[in-house]
Structure formats: C-alpha cells, structure tokens
C-alpha cells in the first residue's frame, strides 16, 4: 500500500497541528510505504519571499524528522525536486473541465475573502492531482478541508483514463494508467484550544509552538486564559482551557487525578499550568533536542531530501513513461 501526503511549508508548527495531523502521519509510516513531501510549488501561491520559502521548507523537513519520521522507512522529499509533477500537471489540465475547478471550495473561499486569484490558485487542485497520481498513491491521509481536492483528483484520473485507456472501467477503476486514490480523512481529534480559548491556529496568533525556546514555551503556557476562581475554591475542569490542553498530554490516570484536584479546590490555575509545562516537555523534550541537533547537521537533512527525491523520481518517471506513451507524446 502506498501512502502519500503533502504539507505546505506555511509556518511554525503548533500543538494543534501535531495532535490534529502530524502525529497520524508519523504513525502511518509503519503501515505501508509512505511518501511525504514538502509542497513548495503549492506554497508559491502564497509565499513570494525566496528566503522565507527556503527556510520554511527546511523547517518542515526538520520538524518531521525531529518528530520521528524515519527516512529509512518513509520517503521525505521536496515537491519541486520532482519536476515530472509539473509536466503531469499540465497534461492533466488538458482533461480537466473548468467547471470542476470553479466549484472548488478553497478557491471560492479565497475569492470570497477578497483575494485576487491568479491562475496558480485556480489550478491548485490540478497540481495536487498530479502529486497524488504520479506516485500511483493508494491512500492519501488529509484533513477534512482537503476532502474535495481528493474528489477532484479522482474525477481528473477518471477523465484521463477514459480519454486515453481503452479498457478502463470507471466502476472498478481497473484498466487505466492512473490509479484512483482513496482518501483517508483524518479523524477530527478534539480541537486543541489556543491560549485564548479559541481554536489554536497560526491565523489567530494563539499558538503554543512545538519548537519555540523553553522560556518562550513556558511563558506561552503560563499565559493560557483562565477565569478568576480563587485558589481555594472548587473549579470546573470542563470549562477550563488548561484542562482541555492537559487532556492531550496526560494518561487517563493522571487526568483523573487532576480532575479531582479541580473539583476539590485548593489548587490554583498556576499549578495546573506548571503541570502542563511539565507534560509538554515530557512529550516533546526528545523531539526538541533532536531538532536542535538536526539544525546543526544541515548536510544530513539535505542528504535525506536528496535521497528522498531520487526515490520519488524513480516512481514518478515510470508513471510518466506510461502517460507519455498513451497520450502519444512518445
Ligand atoms: P493553522 O490553522 O494553524 O493554519 P493548518 O490549517 O495549516 O493550521 O492545519 C494543518 C493541520 O493541522 C490540519 O490537518 C488541521 O486539521 C490540523 N489542526 C490545525 N489546528 C488544529 C487544532 N487547533 N486542533 C486540531 N487540529 C488542528
Ligand atoms: N493542499 C494540501 C494542504 O494544503 C497540501 C498538498 C499538496 C497535498 N499536494 C498534496 C496533500 C497531495 C495531500 C496530497 O494541506
């Protein structure tokens, strides 16, 4: 089973990203042959600063390696290191109906928010289809927001196969050159709240980042918003942001004990926040150490990405041979 997913290099990772997405990616590397790429070509639709592009792309690689992606098990690479993807993207665009792209929610949302769309934004789902189809991916784990992009990918694959492969049966997906992928929509793990109690998100500036310096992390956690219940009074854990965050880190036994302290009273929010700092460090301490080491070892990271790209290109060029043959380009 080939598992593939891409991550845009769009900023620093926070614990919402980890519990909502990255943790699943890292676990999936044991379930099949995983291909994970840094979607830098997609990110060009929003990042126009070359230094930022370089550093954010590198950050994704460091983050994934630090969080346990094993480059001997899974293939980690940069999207732009496989130029065949752009070629396939063009070929697919010639069988993609305009209406299919005009209906894309993410495109429509951005336009509705006043972003003046360029062709890259409009064609975004076609490039994404190329990413997926060029490796004959079986399973594509993504968040809910990407579900429609996967449906578009399947539609494009069907269209291509119907156009160029005589024996193709759309009902079974058999007999085509391009494999129809199955989406794996990642379970909505409980939404991780930010320090202000809203959903944690880069866009809200309320994140607890995975790899910020210790002092900053501590300060962030100590700043989580709580109500003004005095130390001695009983507190409602189910209305507390600190408790909502603790849930992601604590074992069931630890959580039960903390719940009791809330209900009994006598322990202040500051103490619970300190516990959260402790649990955060317990969970991410090793990854944080590893990331600092990786930052110093840029040759190693470059080497992982180079080898990853080599492996990915080998698969991509096999598929492209078939695509060029059936389209008459070769
Ligand atoms: P952000 O909102 O910070 O820009 P993204 O939209 O880039 O984050 O999300 C990347 C992934 O992380 C998505 O799969 C999303 O489901 C997950 N994710 C982001 N924020 C949270 C959160 N607060 N709780 C749970 N999962 C989250
Ligand atoms: N569009 C995805 C996102 O913003 C990233 C992505 C690009 C992707 N190509 C992909 C995800 C292929 C899965 C498969 O999150």
């Amino acid at each position: 089973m080939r598992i593939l997913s891409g991550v845009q290099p769009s900023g620093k990772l926070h614990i919402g990203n980890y519990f909502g997405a990255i943790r699943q990616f890292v676990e999936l590397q044991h379930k099949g042959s995983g291909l994970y790429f840094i979607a830098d070509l997609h990110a060009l639709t929003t990042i126009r600063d070359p230094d930022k592009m370089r550093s954010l792309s590198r950050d994704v690689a460091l983050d994934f390696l630090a969080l346990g992606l094993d480059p001997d098990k899974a293939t980690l690479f940069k999207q732009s290191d496989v130029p065949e993807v752009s070629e396939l993207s063009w070929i697919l665009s010639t069988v993609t109906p305009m209406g299919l792209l005009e209906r894309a929610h993410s495109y429509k949302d951005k336009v509705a928010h006043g972003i003046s769309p360029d062709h890259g934004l409009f064609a975004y789902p076609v490039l994404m289809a190329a990413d997926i189809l060029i490796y004959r991916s079986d399973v594509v784990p993504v968040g809910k927001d990407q579900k429609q992009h996967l449906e578009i990918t399947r539609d494009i694959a069907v269209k291509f196969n119907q156009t160029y492969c005589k024996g193709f049966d759309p009902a079974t997906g058999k007999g085509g050159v391009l494999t129809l992928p199955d989406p794996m929509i990642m379970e909505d793990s409980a939404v991780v709240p930010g320090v202000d109690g809203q959903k944690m998100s880069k866009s809200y500036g309320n994140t607890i980042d995975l790899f910020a310096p210790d002092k900053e992390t501590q300060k962030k956690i100590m700043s989580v918003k709580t109500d003004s219940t005095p130390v001695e009074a009983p507190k409602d854990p189910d209305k507390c942001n600190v408790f909502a965050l603790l849930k992601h880190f604590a074992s069931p036994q630890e959580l039960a004990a903390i719940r009791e302290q809330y209900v009994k009273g006598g322990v202040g929010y500051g103490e619970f926040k300190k516990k959260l700092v402790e649990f955060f460090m317990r969970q991410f301490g090793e990854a944080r150490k590893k990331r600092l080491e990786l930052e110093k070892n840029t040759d190693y990271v470059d080497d992982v990405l180079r080898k990853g790209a080599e492996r990915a290109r080998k698969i991509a060029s096999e598929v492209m041979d078939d695509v060029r043959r059936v389209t008459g380009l070769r």
Side-chain angles (χ1 to χ4, degrees):
M1 178 171 79
R2 184 164 294 148
I3 302 161
L4 168 120
S5 202
V7 179
Q8 282 206 55
S10 55
K12 305 257 177 261
L13 290 182
H14 52 75
I15 59 178
N17 298 140
Y18 181 75
F19 291 112
I22 314 281
R23 183 169 61 176
Q24 280 94 311
F25 284 165
V26 173
E27 279 165 8
L28 275 168
Q29 69 182 327
H30 305 293
K31 301 242 164 80
S33 98
L35 291 166
Y36 298 95
F37 67 91
I38 302 159
D40 54 353
L41 292 175
H42 275 111
L44 278 178
T45 58
T46 51
I47 302 171
R48 263 72 194 257
D49 171 342
D51 289 333
K52 203 164 156 203
M53 178 66 91
R54 272 180 217 109
S55 70
L56 287 176
S57 294
R58 169 167 295 269
D59 276 349
V60 177
L62 290 171
D63 292 345
F64 269 85
L65 292 170
L67 289 167
L69 196 84
D70 175 355
D72 291 327
K73 269 215 167 84
T75 303
L76 179 67
F77 62 103
K78 259 183 7 180
Q79 183 182 28
S80 61
D81 282 341
V82 184
E84 288 83 355
V85 142
S86 302
E87 182 185 355
L88 182 61
S89 180
W90 170 255
I91 296 172
L92 295 178
S93 77
T94 64
V95 297
T96 304
M98 288 289 283
L100 193 61
L101 301 181
E102 278 160 357
R103 285 193 294 276
H105 304 309
S106 73
Y107 172 72
K108 287 199 297 191
D109 285 354
K110 290 195 170 113
V111 175
H113 277 89
I115 292 174
S116 134
D118 47 46
H119 178 254
L121 194 62
F122 186 66
Y124 185 108
V126 184
L127 179 59
M128 184 154 160
D131 288 329
I132 295 170
L133 300 171
I134 205 161
Y135 306 110
R136 296 212 164 103
S137 314
D138 299 302
V139 176
V140 184
V142 285
K144 258 207 312 239
D145 58 325
Q146 297 296 315
K147 184 166 178 260
Q148 193 194 26
H149 285 153
L150 290 185
E151 288 158 7
I152 295 174
T153 299
R154 283 181 70 98
D155 287 348
I156 293 176
V158 166
K159 209 66 180 157
F160 180 91
N161 287 337
Q162 278 176 328
T163 308
Y164 290 112
C165 310
K166 281 213 177 57
F168 175 66
D169 176 4
T172 61
K174 296 240 157 62
V177 157
L178 300 179
T179 302
L180 308 190
D182 282 325
M184 177 189 274
I185 306 302
M186 287 183 293
E187 298 249 336
D188 248 356
S189 70
V191 170
V192 180
V195 295
D196 58 358
Q198 291 189 82
K199 176 187 181 228
M200 186 177 290
S201 170
K202 280 191 293 290
S203 344
Y204 303 151
N206 62 357
T207 61
I208 299 171
D209 292 350
L210 290 177
F211 297 112
D214 286 1
K215 274 247 169 64
E216 206 178 296
T217 305
Q218 218 165 5
K219 227 168 112 190
K220 262 289 166 66
I221 294 180
M222 296 311 286
S223 79
V224 174
K225 210 166 124 192
T226 49
D227 62 28
S228 52
T229 315
V231 173
E232 328 72 65
K235 300 171 186 65
D236 183 351
D238 298 313
K239 289 209 175 97
C240 177
N241 296 323
V242 182
F243 190 80
L245 286 164
L246 280 165
K247 272 187 197 164
H248 291 277
F249 293 92
S251 70
Q253 292 87 335
E254 286 167 340
L255 200 66
I258 296 171
R259 179 177 280 282
E260 216 180 289
Q261 290 184 313
Y262 265 83
V263 176
K264 248 169 83 186
V267 182
Y269 287 122
E271 289 305 310
F272 295 124
K273 290 179 185 176
K274 280 194 200 140
K275 198 91 208 152
L276 185 56
V277 173
E278 184 192 318
F279 285 176
F280 175 97
M281 293 302 172
R282 178 177 75 182
Q283 175 117 16
F284 296 118
E286 206 181 307
R288 289 160 64 83
K289 243 187 16 227
K290 189 154 171 209
R291 199 180 186 290
L292 288 175
E293 277 161 31
L294 287 165
E295 267 169 36
K296 285 187 251 153
N297 201 347
T298 50
D299 287 352
Y300 168 76
V301 180
D302 289 344
D303 198 48
V304 166
L305 291 177
R306 194 179 44 74
K307 286 195 183 123
E310 257 168 40
R311 269 188 263 167
R313 267 195 101 169
K314 191 156 172 292
I315 306 169
S317 47
E318 283 166 23
V319 176
M320 283 312 291
D321 278 349
D322 288 344
V323 167
R324 292 193 196 106
R325 182 173 45 76
V326 297
T327 48
L329 292 171
R330 232 218 13 234

